[in-house]
Amino acid sequence: MEGMSGPYPIRGSVSLPEAELMWRFSRSSGPGGQHVNTSDSQVELRFDLAATEALPEVWKARALERLAARLVNGVLTVRASEHRSQWRNRETAAVRLAALLAEATAPPPKPRRPTRIPRGINERRLREKKQRAETKRGRQGRDWG
């Protein structure tokens, strides 16, 4: 990964607006030796979904509805602390936020059109069922003596 890899695409030509991202850094728990006590490698990325102008209105409404449980006053927060370097955690957090928004703004799936079972298939199923019943009935030995 070279340099901060620019705008994070959400879907189509829409990408995360760099200016609307709020970053916060804090000390991360986990591995890292003595250095970890002095470096703020945990990243918290906040994005004000309710106030953003970067997303089309339809997408915004969809995302607000789908992410309602994750929002605090219309702000979406993503945390990343799995890497030891702050820079890699920044990458991870931004990619995760973009993926979350992509999923939340996706159009709803097309409704399923119920299909009818062709008559031939149904008839064949019933025929085979009868055949099987015959076979089993033939196994009941009533008059075997």
Side-chain angles (χ1 to χ4, degrees):
M1 292 186 231
E2 62 285 331
M4 208 52 189
S5 52
Y8 297 92
I10 295 175
R11 199 169 59 254
S13 60
V14 181
S15 55
L16 273 181
E18 206 63 55
E20 293 183 29
L21 300 179
M22 296 167 279
W23 299 90
R24 220 172 76 202
F25 308 101
S26 55
R27 295 200 179 134
S28 183
S29 62
Q34 292 102 335
H35 177 64
V36 81
N37 302 329
T38 57
S39 66
D40 294 342
S41 62
Q42 176 172 286
V43 172
E44 189 179 283
L45 174 57
R46 296 166 74 220
F47 177 64
D48 195 343
L49 186 58
T52 187
E53 296 293 314
L55 298 177
E57 279 306 310
V58 186
W59 287 21
K60 195 159 110 175
R62 216 180 278 155
L64 283 169
E65 186 186 325
R66 288 184 187 166
L67 297 172
R70 285 196 62 154
L71 298 176
V72 179
N73 298 331
V75 177
L76 182 62
T77 307
V78 174
R79 232 182 238 109
S81 61
E82 48 267 26
H83 302 294
R84 283 177 60 175
S85 83
Q86 184 193 98
W87 179 80
R88 282 180 68 193
N89 280 332
R90 282 180 71 131
E91 284 286 297
T92 306
V95 167
R96 206 178 285 162
L97 180 65
L100 203 63
L101 286 172
E103 199 177 308
T105 57
K110 286 195 172 79
R112 181 184 172 276
R113 277 184 42 217
T115 53
R116 286 190 50 207
I117 298 170
R119 205 169 92 212
I121 289 179
N122 216 11
E123 284 172 358
R124 189 180 72 199
R125 181 181 65 85
L126 293 173
R127 214 175 26 251
E128 285 170 0
K129 215 172 138 118
K130 274 205 177 75
Q131 188 98 46
R132 187 93 183 121
E134 273 307 306
T135 309
K136 288 191 169 190
R137 201 174 300 122
R139 291 183 190 149
Q140 290 179 353
R142 280 190 283 271
D143 326 314
W144 279 13

